[in-house]
Amino acid sequence: MKLSVAIITFNEERIIEKNLSAVHNLADEIIIVDSFSTDSTQEICSKFPKVKFIQQKFLGFGKQKNFAIEQCQSEWILFLDSDEIPNEELINSIRKIISEPKPEFNVYNVEFNNVFLGETLKYGGWGNIKRERFFKKGHGKYSEDIVHESFITTENKGKLKGKINHYTYKDIYHHIEKSNKYTSMMAEKMYRNGKKSNIFKILFKPMFQFFKSYFLRLGFLDGLVGYYAAATAAFYTFLKYKKLHEIYKFK
């Protein structure tokens, strides 16, 4: 097999069918590692014959992704989040690479379109993002961080034509729900890494985050949604430092 698509899931009925429909003809196999979804995620995935659906307790994003990589049988891996849809140009770029006998690189960066509440963000730190999502098996893995994991490789990286459209949140309530979950994990990660919090950080780091996102990174050019993105980034910063402070307070 030439290409495995790997995805980790938990309650992804909102978008998983669109994700799988986009890659089903491209992939030789699709590895889904699911953290025991309680919605219709498994039922939707069962409609796609190339899907291998594996359920495993959530180990943290880094460990969960590495487990998914281990299940892949193909030479090449395209790693996607469930809310990420490759566009046609990217799919054609991947087809070209896997058909070549000796591609120039073993790891490739892919650019992102971050779609936030229906708008594609170009500024505020959301635009011009690229990540290592297409690679040969054995030439990279994820850090074992519980959240905000990074891709670890010693390889030089190529860049693919095309983009991944990242459909971040279905609405404000979904954003708040995920932010609450992610900031709890981020506070735990910071605690494990010996990071400290105090009143100064709780008060002023969110203010600087808003200033950086909205003004220094030109988030205001994205209009109202750019303001919302900067404000919620500041709130995310506030939550993670407040939760870190609470961890030290009660441990």
Side-chain angles (χ1 to χ4, degrees), residues 41-138:
T41 295
Q42 184 171 7
E43 180 183 349
I44 294 169
C45 291
S46 68
K47 299 176 184 177
F48 294 85
K50 292 181 181 178
V51 167
K52 182 179 180 181
F53 194 86
I54 304 165
Q55 288 189 306
Q56 174 174 269
K57 180 182 177 182
F58 184 68
L59 305 173
F61 283 99
K63 288 183 178 180
Q64 201 80 343
K65 287 184 174 183
N66 285 334
F67 177 79
I69 289 172
E70 290 170 5
Q71 311 314 306
C72 294
Q73 300 298 311
S74 301
E75 180 183 11
W76 288 93
I77 298 172
L78 172 64
F79 212 113
L80 296 172
D81 288 344
S82 60
D83 56 3
E84 296 173 351
I85 315 296
N87 66 15
E88 194 63 31
E89 185 178 20
L90 178 58
I91 287 172
N92 290 335
S93 295
I94 291 170
R95 281 200 176 104
K96 180 180 178 182
I97 294 294
I98 63 178
S99 67
E100 293 177 358
K102 290 185 178 180
E104 184 177 358
F105 300 98
N106 294 317
V107 178
Y108 287 85
N109 276 314
V110 181
E111 289 188 346
F112 278 68
N113 285 325
N114 280 304
V115 182
F116 191 76
L117 303 180
E119 301 287 340
T120 300
L121 293 175
K122 297 180 180 179
Y123 304 98
W126 291 76
N128 299 319
I129 290 176
K130 59 184 180 181
R131 296 190 177 100
E132 308 93 335
R133 290 302 185 87
F134 180 62
F135 51 93
K136 270 190 176 181
K137 187 173 181 179

Side-chain angles (χ1 to χ4, degrees), residues 141-198:
K141 65 178 183 177
Y142 287 92
S143 65
E144 295 194 346
D145 296 300
I146 188 172
V147 68
H148 296 315
E149 68 289 347
S150 57
F151 189 80
I152 301 170
T153 183
T154 58
E155 300 278 347
N156 292 325
K157 302 169 193 175
K159 179 183 173 184
L160 289 178
K161 293 181 179 179
K163 293 187 177 184
I164 289 174
N165 292 316
H166 180 204
Y167 297 94
T168 53
Y169 310 104
K170 65 179 179 181
D171 53 33
I172 291 173
Y173 301 102
H174 184 220
H175 185 204
I176 293 172
E177 178 187 354
K178 291 191 74 172
S179 293
N180 186 46
K181 175 183 175 182
Y182 280 30
T183 53
S184 294
M185 289 190 289
M186 189 63 195
E188 183 65 30
K189 173 182 173 179
M190 293 167 73
Y191 175 77
R192 292 178 184 178
N193 291 337
K195 302 289 185 180
K196 299 292 180 69
S197 179
N198 53 46

